[in-house]
């Protein structure tokens, strides 16, 4: 029986092997490992790719969010609006700065709902962090409009949306800043931790550059208390190799999604994700099932492995328990209880994609068909 894993990171890097080894060797044989030419080259290339003026490589996606939020002035006691449903990092970045994450209810796609945004704003609100969940661009036009009306900065959490675009603008280029992660399973993944901040604001870029390196602009002079969070040259050199293939990889994910839609969109009762164009890079292909545990178990028996992104909304996590009125976010709760991610990757072979599509349809009909 064919087995399809929900994600196999070994297969992602396999097709680059020669080039990745060569890139790594050049760094190993060189003498700059931190803040060197490889980092600079990747920052230039990624800024160009995102269509922004500046890119600052940092240690990971969480740090990208924290540094960007700190650089725009978020401090202890401030409120920051975040989606009620997202990966925990979006909320933790706010909390670690001593600020308070304020949930905004999400829509059926799991994206911050602009209609709820205005209502969630408090007198202490300083910034909004929309998340392009599963690779789908949030409604940046509406969110930016509400934010600017209330004098709030927008920082995009673009960790799942490298390359998603609308109206000629790419993820990370809509807000005052965009935060990326290069965690190995992201659409653009390093072979370790990595992240970046993108912005068109030169002063903000300069602040982030300083903050990632102990608040330093010149050696042994520290203008601010800063972090140690630098994307290292080894990861940057590997990322440059993979960035050259990102458009093709995202196109392949779109082809996989089209095939899933063809097989699944007319299965009675099965909730498929909304289709997407260039604004969707299919980080995950997420269906919904109210009997998830049983469905998931039955799929595994037929060789289809799935994942859950994410089983709890952040306000229901132990680290935030009791701090929020969860009855205000029924859509977020519903998503956490029902979402199920099918295998999604650029390396999937046609026969694997059709195996997943036909198996999901068949298992669904066997369990829930009439
Ligand atoms: C992965 C991810 C992050 C954090 O990235 P790390 O590099 O793991 O710190 C932040 N936000 C979202 C939505 C993510 O998916």
């Amino acid at each position: 029986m064919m087995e399809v894993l929900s994600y196999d990171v070994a297969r992602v890097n396999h097709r680059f092997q020669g080039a990745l080894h060569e890139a790594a060797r050049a760094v190993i044989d060189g003498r700059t490992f931190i803040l060197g030419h490889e980092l600079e080259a990747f920052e230039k290339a990624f800024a160009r790719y995102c269509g922004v003026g500046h890119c600052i490589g940092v240690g990971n996606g969480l740090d990208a969010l924290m540094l960007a939020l700190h650089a725009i002035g978020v401090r202890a006691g401030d409120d920051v609006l975040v989606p009620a449903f997202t990966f925990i990092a979006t909320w933790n970045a706010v909390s670690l700065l001593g600020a308070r994450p304020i949930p905004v209810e999400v829509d059926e796609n799991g994206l911050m709902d602009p209609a709820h945004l205005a209502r969630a704003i408090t007198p202490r609100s300083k910034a909004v962090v929309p998340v392009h969940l599963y690779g789908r661009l949030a409604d940046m036009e509406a969110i930016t409009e509400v934010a600017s009306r209330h004098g709030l900065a927008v920082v995009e959490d673009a960790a799942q949306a490298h390359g998603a675009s609308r109206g000629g603008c790419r993820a990370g280029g809509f807000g005052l800043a965009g935060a990326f992660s290069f965690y190995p399973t992201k659409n653009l993944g390093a072979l370790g931790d990595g992240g970046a901040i993108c912005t068109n604001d030169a002063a903000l870029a300069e602040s982030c550059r300083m903050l990632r390196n102990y608040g330093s602009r010149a050696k042994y002079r520290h203008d601010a208390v800063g972090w140690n969070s630098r994307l290292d040259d080894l990861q940057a050199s590997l990322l440059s190799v993979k960035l050259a293939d990102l458009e093709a990889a995202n196109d392949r994910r779109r082809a996989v999604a089209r095939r899933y839609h063809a097989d699944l969109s007319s299965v009675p009762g099965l909730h498929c994700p909304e289709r997407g164009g260039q604004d969707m890079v299919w980080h995950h292909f997420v269906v919904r099932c109210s009997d998830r545990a049983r469905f998931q178990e039955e799929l595994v028996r037929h060789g289809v492995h799935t994942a859950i992104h994410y089983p709890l909304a952040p306000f229901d996590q132990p680290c935030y328990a009791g701090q929020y009125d969860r009855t205000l976010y029924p859509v977020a709760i519903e998503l956490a209880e029902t979402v199920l991610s099918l295998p999604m990757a650029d390396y999937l072979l046609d026969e694997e994609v059709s195996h997943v599509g036909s198996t999901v349809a068949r298992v669904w009909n066997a369990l829930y068909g009439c």
Side-chain angles (χ1 to χ4, degrees):
M1 181 185 61
M2 189 183 281
E3 292 270 332
V4 185
L5 301 184
S6 77
Y7 199 74
D8 183 355
V9 89
R11 289 176 70 187
V12 179
N13 295 318
H14 188 75
R15 70 172 183 283
F16 296 105
Q17 220 161 40
L20 292 175
H21 283 150
E22 229 171 90
R25 189 184 309 278
V27 176
I28 292 164
D29 291 344
R31 50 166 70 87
T32 35
F33 305 104
I34 300 285
L35 300 177
H37 297 302
E38 286 296 340
L39 174 60
E40 210 175 299
F42 173 72
E43 288 178 336
K44 282 216 172 82
F46 195 61
R48 198 178 324 119
Y49 177 82
C50 293
V52 297
H54 312 272
C55 166
I56 303 95
V58 297
N60 53 65
L62 174 68
D63 285 359
L65 286 164
M66 283 180 69
L67 266 68
L69 288 169
H70 181 85
I72 64 163
V74 171
R75 294 291 181 272
D78 291 338
D79 286 347
V80 176
L81 298 133
V82 294
F85 188 66
T86 176
F87 179 58
I88 196 74
T90 319
W91 286 47
N92 279 0
V94 175
S95 301
L96 286 166
L97 292 172
R100 186 169 60 140
I102 303 292
V104 178
E105 178 64 307
V106 292
D107 64 17
E108 290 291 317
N109 290 319
L111 305 178
M112 178 180 278
D113 189 334
H116 285 269
L117 174 58
R119 272 172 262 160
I121 292 170
T122 67
R124 292 180 167 193
S125 295
K126 198 75 174 248
V128 187
V129 186
V131 179
H132 307 309
L133 198 72
Y134 305 149
R136 191 187 305 274
L137 281 185
D139 186 348
M140 293 309 297
E141 295 75 9
I143 290 169
T144 307
E145 198 273 315
V146 175
S148 61
R149 199 154 20 94
H150 291 84
L152 309 177
V154 177
V155 173
E156 300 167 67
D157 181 338
Q160 302 189 358
H162 318 68
S165 73
R166 189 185 292 134
C169 188
R170 280 201 165 129
F174 291 90
L176 182 52
F180 287 88
S181 163
F182 304 121
Y183 184 80
T185 62
K186 308 290 189 189
N187 288 42
L188 177 60
L191 281 74
D193 275 314
I197 300 159
C198 283
T199 181
N200 280 310
D201 185 312
L204 181 60
E206 171 67 13
S207 297
C208 292
R209 240 173 247 294
M210 173 191 75
L211 288 171
R212 75 172 170 182
N213 189 31
Y214 293 113
S216 176
R217 286 188 180 91
K219 199 161 183 152
Y220 300 132
R221 180 192 161 97
H222 304 275
D223 296 312
V225 174
W227 279 258
N228 172 3
S229 186
R230 305 164 296 214
L231 179 64
D232 62 70
D233 275 53
L234 181 58
Q235 295 302 337
S237 75
L238 301 171
L239 284 165
S240 289
V241 170
K242 296 182 75 174
L243 176 59
D245 186 60
L246 179 57
E247 276 304 276
N250 282 342
D251 281 342
R252 176 64 188 153
R253 286 172 183 266
R254 290 185 180 111
V256 173
R258 274 196 298 277
R259 183 60 205 256
Y260 283 167
H261 273 119
D263 285 345
L264 301 174
S265 60
S266 55
V267 173
L270 179 59
H271 186 291
C272 268
E274 198 177 295
R275 289 168 205 263
Q278 293 303 112
D279 61 332
M280 180 49 154
V281 292
W282 297 103
H283 180 57
H284 296 304
F285 187 99
V286 178
V287 299
R288 308 232 323 248
C289 177
S290 51
D291 186 27
R292 183 171 60 194
R294 175 145 167 261
F295 187 44
Q296 193 172 25
E297 196 179 307
E298 202 60 25
L299 286 174
V300 172
R301 295 207 320 114
H302 291 84
V304 174
H305 297 258
T306 56
I308 298 171
H309 304 98
Y310 301 92
L312 287 177
F315 53 77
D316 277 337
Q317 290 288 351
C319 58
Y320 291 112
Q323 299 180 33
Y324 295 92
D325 177 1
R326 64 193 301 279
T327 65
L328 297 174
Y329 316 103
V331 182
I333 291 170
E334 165 87 9
L335 288 173
E337 286 170 352
T338 58
V339 289
L340 187 66
S341 305
L342 304 187
M344 173 51 81
D346 49 68
Y347 61 73
L348 287 173
L349 306 172
D350 289 345
E351 51 267 38
E352 294 174 308
V353 180
S354 63
H355 174 67
V356 173
S358 60
T359 303
V360 171
R362 193 156 34 79
V363 168
W364 180 277
N365 283 324
L367 287 176
Y368 315 113
C370 34

